[in-house]
Amino acid sequence: MDITGSFKGSRLQVILRKQKAKEALFEALIDRFEFGRDYSEKEVNEVLAAVYNDYAILRRYLVDTGRLGRDPYGQHYWRAEKKD
């Protein structure tokens, strides 16, 4: 799915409503995180804020879809292994 129309330069302008478009966006976003690295909430926010002003919603989507793991206190994040 092509999501380039959602961007203006490197900035996300709109989160598309179609589920396939969202999935493609989330896959593109998760590639900004390394496997095996622990991220603080601040670091996650910085990575996502470079793409979209509402970085919290992007963080929530990535956690809710299982792409980012999070400790119960929301202090440590990591890129989750892909589920087949």
Side-chain angles (χ1 to χ4, degrees):
M1 160 100 3
D2 183 18
I3 58 170
T4 56
S6 303
F7 285 84
K8 185 174 184 178
S10 64
R11 301 285 299 165
L12 180 64
Q13 299 300 300
V14 63
I15 299 173
L16 298 174
R17 292 178 180 254
K18 292 186 178 181
Q19 191 60 34
K20 283 187 180 183
K22 283 183 184 178
E23 293 294 327
L25 171 63
F26 302 153
E27 284 302 310
L29 291 175
I30 199 62
D31 284 341
R32 295 170 180 262
F33 298 92
E34 299 173 30
F35 284 111
R37 179 172 168 205
D38 190 42
Y39 292 87
S40 68
E41 183 175 12
K42 181 180 177 185
E43 289 172 313
V44 172
N45 292 347
E46 288 171 354
V47 169
L48 298 175
V51 178
Y52 193 58
N53 289 339
D54 189 357
Y55 54 83
I57 196 164
L58 295 179
R59 186 184 67 234
R60 193 171 312 119
Y61 279 137
L62 292 175
V63 170
D64 288 350
T65 61
R67 289 173 173 86
L68 270 183
R70 179 181 67 189
D71 76 348
Y73 305 102
Q75 295 178 331
H76 300 282
Y77 293 79
W78 58 91
R79 183 173 175 174
E81 295 292 328
K82 287 189 176 184
K83 299 175 187 172
D84 291 325

